[in-house]
Amino acid sequence: MIPDMSGRRARRPVVEPNPLDGQHAQWVRTYATRRDFLGAAASEPARRAAERFQTEGARELLELGPGQGRDSLFFAAAGLTVTAIDFAEDGLDQIAHKAERAGLNQAITTVQHDVRRPLPLPNASFDACFAHLLFSMALTTEELERLSADVLRVLRPDGLVVYTARSTADPHYGAGIAHGDGMFETDGFIVHFFDRALIDRLATGSELLEVAEYEEGKLPRRLFGVTMHKR
Ligand SMILES: C[S@@+](CC[C@H](N)C(=O)[O-])C[C@H]1O[C@@H](n2cnc3c(N)ncnc32)[C@H](O)[C@@H]1O
């Protein structure tokens, strides 16, 4: 309590912690205790993206939100040079160990970074960006718009963007704790669910090539798989 001039006690304004900020700790805890939380094998969207990367001659790949590296290792084994950016240091350590064991440590660089801040990367330095589920994390629409623009900045002309996001057709959409802006929390994980309008909004500066639909996991999660070219 702060005494005010009238002698009454004024209340100090309470600043509520932003629940979106708690997600770093949630992911670090998860990776510290759950081996291959989302599976060990490469995801279906990564397999499809790799075919397109090969067709288009992509060599340097930026991966956002690689988690424990199921797709990073796959891309590196397919001959791509991967820069993997995630804010969960435990997952990144696991990726580095897996890369070492597989003899792929020259092909994978891990960077700890929160994508709500500008990417710590030079302009026009990648041929492609892949992000499986990162866009569906606790990122507001405004943060997603900033991130999408920043991804285009670090891509070379005609660079490819492939991302997946959980859709409003997902069984968890509307369940659990509502955080506004299309975000809902189940079991401590906040997810931003995408509709088609959000995909179009994030395609500013790109040419949309494909919007596919995937199912993943036991629930199953229902995902959009978006492929775009930088214009
Ligand atoms: C659902 S997991 C997907 C992991 C991986 N792509 C996969 O499919 O196995 C999402 C990942 O995004 C990361 N992440 C969430 N919010 C982030 C942020 N603001 N900045 C950087 N990474 C973030 C989490 O640490 C987690 O590894």
Side-chain angles (χ1 to χ4, degrees), residues 27 31 38 63-68 70-71 85-88 113-116 132-134 137 139:
W27 282 104
Y31 293 149
L38 291 169
E63 186 183 4
L64 300 177
Q68 292 162 300
R70 58 177 172 159
D71 294 333
I85 292 192
D86 201 294
F87 67 3
H113 177 77
D114 186 331
V115 299
R116 291 178 296 176
H132 185 26
L133 294 170
L134 179 278
M137 295 295 98
L139 302 167

Side-chain angles (χ1 to χ4, degrees), residues 8 19 60 71 87 99 151 168 171-172 184 187 202 208 214:
R8 288 192 306 269
E60 288 179 74
D71 294 333
F87 67 3
V151 166
T168 50
H172 274 167
F184 294 88
D187 297 333
L202 299 184
L208 258 181
Y214 294 97

